[in-house]
Every structure is written in structure tokens, then in C-alpha cells.
Amino acid sequence: REEYRQYFSELAAAANLKFHYLRSYEDVVLLDKNHPLAAKKMLCREDFADYPLIVHSDRYFLPEQKTEKGSSKIYTVDRHAQLTLLRSLPGSYIWSAPISTEMQQEWGVVQRHCEKNTNRYSEALIYNPSYIMSETEKNLLEMLRKEYPTFAKD
């Protein structure tokens, strides 16, 4: 969550770790392209009362945060499982970081904004600067530098 960004930045610095802020975003709703709500351009939480929510089980929510009342929840831990369920479970939906148009097309989903969505999240990369990275890890860092211009080269 965005409000914890400074906390994690300071925690990383105190542990002599590199902290690279990548982006912040508001959640969007992912729906199968054939979902009954897919044609609506703007949704509200009440629209989902009768639909199953696919939840990423490692996401932390504050106790005062409202969740969709009446909807059933299915917990899973990886994105592939979430998107597979979204395609195969009629009426299901996911709260998610925005995804690319290419990924939406590949999975047959649409993303929609939701009115009164106050949840903002941050993404950051934290790592030990003395760690010797593999070629794959170095390539990941280069990809991130291209995607996020604020991610400076060390």
C-alpha cells in the first residue's frame, strides 16, 4: 500500500538494502470479456455483490477496509492460477494492478476502474547490493530500468 512506501524505504536503508521505487497505482477490476459487467466502463463495489472474488492470498488489507459483502472468495497465490480461474469460473472477478493490453488480449479479460476506489499501492524492488546476481537476474534489472526510467543504474 502506498502509505507504507516511506516505511519500507527506511527499513531497507537501515538494513543496507537497495530500495528502488517503481510505480504506484490504483487497483482495477479484471473481468472475463464475457462477464455480465464487462460492457460497463465504470463500476462500483456494489456491482459485485453476487459474483465470486478471486483473491491473491498474500495481499494485506487493513481491518477498516471494506470488502465486497455477499460475494464468495476464492484464494490463490499466483497470477496464472488467478487468470485461469477468471476464465473458467463464470462471473468471477479480480482486484489487480493494471495489466497491459497485450496481457488482456492473451487472457481474454478486460480491466475496469471502480468508483470510489481509494486503495493505492506501490511497487518497489528491494535487494542486497552485495549479492552476486545471475545473468537472468541482471536481465530482469535491465528490463526494469527500461520500463521504469526513474530506476537509476547503480
Side-chain angles (χ1 to χ4, degrees):
R1 295 195 35 126
E2 180 69 24
E3 61 264 30
Y4 302 130
R5 179 175 157 192
Q6 186 64 35
Y7 168 78
F8 284 110
S9 175
E10 291 170 2
L11 194 63
N16 294 319
L17 298 174
K18 289 281 188 184
F19 179 95
H20 291 286
Y21 168 78
L22 300 175
R23 69 175 179 159
S24 66
Y25 61 89
E26 288 182 359
D27 272 351
V28 294
V29 178
L30 299 183
L31 307 162
D32 182 84
K33 66 183 178 187
N34 297 314
H35 192 287
L37 299 174
K40 284 184 81 172
K41 294 298 177 197
M42 182 63 74
L43 301 165
C44 62
R45 289 183 181 274
E46 293 78 20
D47 291 333
F48 298 101
D50 298 323
Y51 298 105
L53 170 61
I54 301 169
V55 180
H56 202 274
S57 64
D58 71 350
R59 185 172 261 188
Y60 176 76
F61 290 97
L62 298 173
E64 68 273 9
Q65 274 186 271
K66 292 191 165 105
T67 58
E68 290 70 20
K69 295 197 176 3
S71 67
S72 57
K73 293 181 182 158
I74 301 167
Y75 294 88
T76 183
V77 294
D78 72 66
R79 177 63 105 193
H80 187 268
Q82 284 182 313
L83 291 167
T84 300
L85 281 169
L86 187 64
R87 275 201 311 205
S88 61
L89 185 61
S92 61
Y93 67 103
I94 300 171
W95 284 102
S96 172
I99 63 173
S100 68
T101 302
E102 294 81 15
M103 192 171 179
Q104 290 176 56
Q105 291 170 350
E106 180 181 339
W107 284 94
V109 302
V110 295
Q111 66 183 14
R112 298 289 182 256
H113 291 278
C114 194
E115 293 177 355
K116 302 176 188 169
N117 182 12
T118 59
N119 298 334
R120 287 201 63 78
Y121 295 91
S122 290
E123 291 181 348
L125 178 66
I126 301 172
Y127 63 95
N128 185 334
S130 63
Y131 173 73
I132 299 172
M133 294 186 187
S134 70
E135 283 305 308
T136 302
E137 292 163 328
K138 289 177 188 174
N139 290 337
L140 172 63
L141 285 183
E142 283 308 309
M143 254 179 40
L144 290 171
R145 285 187 181 100
K146 288 176 186 168
E147 184 72 22
Y148 302 100
T150 58
F151 186 167
K153 193 167 188 141
D154 297 325

